[in-house]
Each structure stands twice: as structure tokens, then as C-alpha cells.
Amino acid sequence: MNRLTNKRILLGVTGGIAAYKSADLVRRLQDDGADVRVVMTESAQEFITPLTLQALSNHPVHLDLLDTETESVMGHIELARWADVVLIAPATADFMARLTGGHGDDLLTTICLAAECGVMVAPAMNQAMWAKQSTQQNTLLLKQRGIALLEPDVGLQACGETGAGRLMDVADIVTAVASLFKSTSLAGRHVVVTAGPTQEAIDPVRFISNHSSGKQGYALALAAIEAGARVTLISGPTNVAAPDRATVVNVRSADEMLEAVMSSVSDADIFIGVAAVADFRPASVETQKIKKSGGSVMTLSLVQNPDILKTVANLESRPFTVGFAAETENLMEYARTKLTAKNLDMIIANNIADTSIGFNSDHNETTVIIRTITEQGTRITEAHQPKMSKENLSRKLIELIAEQLAEA
Ligand SMILES: Cc1cc2nc3c(=O)[nH]c(=O)nc-3n(C[C@H](O)[C@H](O)[C@H](O)COP(=O)(O)O)c2cc1C
């Protein structure tokens, strides 16, 4: 069973005897489906060569913070954003002290500072070093700050002593990483997600469409599956691979999408409309290819498409309904209006005028607006989500949706 398919793991290797075990760790993480990139401290390179880890991970190993060439390709911020989790194994006592102190004096500590994903630390050191009050206090502080501490094993050590301080067994580290992605927040729930663009036919060879890639919708479907939900993914034409465990319904036009949504939404707990549904379609579809004859201007009559999101949000027995507002201007104003006008529970506003996020990009930066209707009235809350991978954003959104559902 591949527990880490589609997961990006940034493995930090620091300078301890157990650094040789990181070679095995790279392989085991990959065997479980993960994409692994490696960052090494200067000391780590005295224990195992970057070449070994480069050959095993199939990617260049990242070594320096102040490397102008690397910074322009994949610098510390990019690496931190790329990762779904930063795993430091083995972690030296000194590295843990630097992490506790909030240092950013090398590539790995700086990545940890910049990381908005989970950070896991697997210490390995001599038993006396591990037992030392300073190390124990650092361990406690790191745990209090939400860093996952993979407690060292007890046993015979490289130095000949016996005690606690051996790197956690590599197979157990892989299991701990996998468990980070497991959530049961949507167990037993049915989630319907729409994704991608729609294509509105003009004639047998032409259509009107948009630039939606489907990446955000597919990432949300995957995050919902990871959270234990049964997922129906209704998708317009995309080039994105669908998650294994989703029931996928492929459609082309807005009409087809509406039909598919209506036949699956009746038992849905959550509906997430990510698809960029064309607002208009040609009034009639020509049965034969339109020829160039008849002057240099061609007029196309368009009629409005059904509003899928609004239709679902206004059903008598409606699921928790989430929409996206992809706008090029007046983002927040349009998003707030859409939230209320369409009777949504949540809207995710993203600025598609910025090409580094939104359509086609692997990243997104959004503001989530939540509308809660209580006996005291309607409450609107807004939460900004900084730029991050669409996968990480999806996990955050799914947890936010699950929290809302739990409170309802
Ligand atoms: C042979 C040798 C083995 C070492 N093994 C460890 C170890 O297992 N754990 C540890 O915390 N430090 C160990 N150290 C000390 C670290 O290498 C040292 O603190 C170094 O500065 C850590 O750098 P880094 O955290 O940037 O990788 C060892 C040092 C030597 C010379």
C-alpha cells in the first residue's frame, strides 16, 4: 500500500553518525510513493556524501543558503513551499538547539523558519547527550511549538554505550510521516467536487472555454479523500490525473456538469464548486463546421448557462456549499457579494490576475470567507491563507470545512 503517493518530503540530514541511515530512509519514503528532496548541513556531508543522496533521490541535493544559482532556481523559500512536510532525520543536538533558538544560519534552519507545512524531527545522539537537560528542554519547547518529535529508540549505540538516543527505526519514521497525512475529520462524509473548465460547443470542431487547469479542484478531492471522505469528482476536460479513490464523472459543458452534480448531490454533506463554469454558451450549436464565407466579422449569440453553485446552495436539503471567486479586480468585494447572493457557506477568493497563483499555477494564495448563520444573526469571518502549494492549501481548506461542519 502506498501511503505517501503525491506527497513531497523535504528530508533534512544533519551531522551525526546515523546520517548513513538517511540513504535507506530516502528509499523507504520513495517506496511508499513520496517525492523526496534532500537538504544537508555542512557537517552531514562529512558523514555521507551528497552524491549518494542525489543518486537515490534522483534530484540535486541542496547544500547552501547563500548560493545565487540555487536561489534563483529553488531557493529556501521555494523549497519550504514545495514541501508537504519537512523531516529532519537524523537531527543532531546542535541542530535542535538552533531550531529552538529560531536560527536561520544555514539552509536547513532557514527552511524550517520559512516552512508553513508540518516539521518533524528525529533526534539521534549519544545517550548522555540526549539525557542532557539542555537537549530535553529543547525537545520540550519544539513539541510545544507543534513540531512532531520522533522519539529516539533505546539500544546499543555507535559509541558502544547503551541507552536512549538511537535514531527511530527507519520503517517507524516512514509510518510516522504517513500518519501525519491521515485524518478522519471527514470520515463517513460524501463530498462532491467540481473541477476544471467547461467547454461550450460552437460547432463540431470549436468551443468556448477558459484557462482553468483543474489542479485546485483535484487537490481538494485528494485532500477530502485523505480526510476519510467518499468523494465524487465531476470534472471538465483537464490533463490532471484523478485521485485513485474518487468516483470521477467526466463532462464537457455546463449543462452536462449540472446534470452530473444534481444526480450525485442529493446525499452529499459537502459541495465544493471549484470548476470554472462558463457563464455563457452559444445560443445554438451548428451541426456543420462554420465556414469563413460571409465577410470578416462573425457574430455569435450567447445565452446564460445555469448557475450550478447557486442551484446547489438553494436546494431545500442543501449540503455545506463552498464556492471559489476567481477574480482579476475588486477581489474581496466581489467575493463577499457572491457569498451572500448565492447563499454559500464559504467562499475562497483568489486573484487570478497574479499569474504566480491561481489558474494553471501550482500555488495559490487565498482569503477564505465563512458565513455562519446563528440564532443571533449572520456572522462573517475572513482568514487569509498565504501563498502555498495547492495541495497544502487544500488540506487547510478541508480542515476548515470539517471544523464548520462539526460546529453546525
Ligand atoms: C564522529 C562524530 C559523530 C557525531 N555524532 C553525533 C550524533 O550522533 N549526534 C549529535 O547530535 N551530534 C553528533 N556529533 C556532533 C555534530 O557533528 C556537531 O554538533 C555538528 O556541529 C552538528 O552540525 P549540524 O547540526 O549542522 O549537522 C558528532 C561529531 C562527530 C565528530
Side-chain angles (χ1 to χ4, degrees), residues 14-17 41 43-44 47 92-95 98 106 124-125 129:
T14 68
I17 286 287
T41 62
S43 308
F47 291 86
T92 60
D94 192 67
F95 180 81
R98 300 205 306 274
D106 64 5
M125 64 199 72
M129 288 170 77

Side-chain angles (χ1 to χ4, degrees), residues 218-241:
Y218 280 54
L220 268 159
L222 181 65
I225 290 170
E226 283 172 1
R230 174 167 68 86
V231 172
T232 305
L233 174 62
I234 299 167
S235 175
T238 71
N239 291 317
V240 191

Side-chain angles (χ1 to χ4, degrees), residues 110-151:
T110 313
I111 286 171
C112 290
L113 276 178
E116 291 187 280
C117 60
V119 177
M120 304 181 94
V121 172
M125 64 199 72
N126 163 274
Q127 54 83 24
M129 288 170 77
W130 174 246
K132 190 70 62 187
Q133 204 181 11
S134 53
T135 309
Q136 286 305 309
Q137 277 173 351
N138 289 339
T139 304
L140 190 66
L141 255 176
L142 292 177
K143 279 192 210 167
Q144 284 167 351
R145 290 180 193 162
I147 287 180
L149 233 294
L150 306 182
E151 299 285 334

Side-chain angles (χ1 to χ4, degrees), residues 298-366:
M298 182 198 164
T299 308
L300 204 57
S301 285
L302 302 176
V303 292
Q304 211 163 8
N305 262 331
D307 188 328
I308 299 174
L309 200 53
K310 194 171 174 180
T311 308
V312 173
N314 288 285
L315 287 172
E316 202 173 315
S317 166
R318 64 199 278 283
F320 185 90
T321 307
V322 183
F324 271 68
E327 303 289 351
T328 53
E329 58 178 352
N330 301 332
L331 177 64
M332 293 310 293
E333 189 189 321
Y334 286 148
R336 287 182 197 115
T337 307
K338 192 170 169 181
L339 174 76
T340 316
K342 296 199 179 189
N343 194 32
L344 309 179
D345 297 295
M346 184 187 274
I347 196 157
I348 292 120
N350 69 322
N351 177 4
I352 50 169
D354 179 348
T355 51
S356 71
I357 55 172
F359 278 0
N360 256 315
S361 161
D362 290 330
H363 294 95
N364 215 340
E365 180 177 348
T366 60

